[in-house]
Amino acid sequence: MGSERQIGSASALARSLLDLCRMRKLTIATAESCTGGLVAGALTDIPGSSDVVDRGFVTYSNEAKRAMLGVEASTLATFGAVSKETATQMAVGALERADVDLAVATTGIAGPGGAVPGKPVGLVHFAAAARDGRIIHREVRFGAIGRIAVRQRSVVEALRMLMELARGPQASLKPRREAVSRLRLRVARTPRRHAVKRRRPPRG
């Protein structure tokens, strides 16, 4: 029952996120480790998602994180793959490489093995980045609830974080670029209007 609720929740969230991104003309990329592509899968399960979803990076190994997302070797050596620092670099790397408006990253220990001191099974780090420079991070300790449940709950959390950034007033630079274009157009027209006024003969 719990798994079905999580799947339903992810599907509804994905649908709402896609609708919001369409309205705001935002594009998305995902960078996934412990979820193995499930976040991208939840989005692309929905018909018509290609106008929002650009690509998904599944970077399960440290080498993949370095090669595909530009995560620094020193970050992995110092903080480990399951860390705020790695998750943040994954999200920023996806944002830069895909040239999208929003990106989310997941890295964690789904279990049943893989726990190390200070990093138990069920620990997942999430990071989401927006083109305007906003970055959010969350550390969630789901506990030893089972590999499938950790991954499913991680999908829901990742979608929530994307939704949070998508709702932001400056989630995309596209509206700003359009505003700048309109401003430039007005500035270019202003001297011509003044010139016309100056050429009018004085009254009386």
Side-chain angles (χ1 to χ4, degrees), residues 164-185:
E164 184 178 328
L165 287 185
R167 284 181 178 140
Q170 295 176 319
S172 173
L173 290 184
K174 289 176 185 175
R176 261 194 266 170
R177 283 198 291 268
E178 289 166 6
V180 168
S181 297
R182 286 196 298 272
L183 178 60
R184 284 175 182 161
L185 196 57

Side-chain angles (χ1 to χ4, degrees), residues 11-97:
S11 179
L13 258 175
R15 206 172 286 277
S16 297
L17 175 62
L18 290 171
D19 288 343
L20 178 60
C21 287
R22 281 191 196 96
M23 185 178 73
R24 305 204 65 186
K25 295 181 170 56
L26 302 173
T27 51
I28 289 173
T30 63
E32 304 181 59
S33 185
C34 63
T35 47
L38 292 176
V39 179
L43 290 165
T44 56
D45 272 347
I46 298 167
S49 56
S50 59
D51 55 352
V52 174
V53 181
D54 178 80
R55 71 191 74 179
F57 301 89
V58 178
T59 54
Y60 216 56
S61 68
N62 285 356
E63 177 54 37
K65 291 176 180 66
R66 289 195 298 267
M68 295 173 68
L69 299 172
V71 176
E72 296 175 7
S74 58
T75 299
L76 292 162
T78 304
F79 303 102
V82 181
S83 64
K84 172 184 178 179
E85 292 77 9
T86 294
T88 301
Q89 287 189 14
M90 287 172 67
V92 171
L95 194 75
E96 291 173 346
R97 282 157 173 74

Side-chain angles (χ1 to χ4, degrees), residues 117-133:
K119 296 183 180 182
V121 168
L123 170 66
V124 182
H125 282 272
F126 302 85
R131 180 60 56 185
D132 63 9

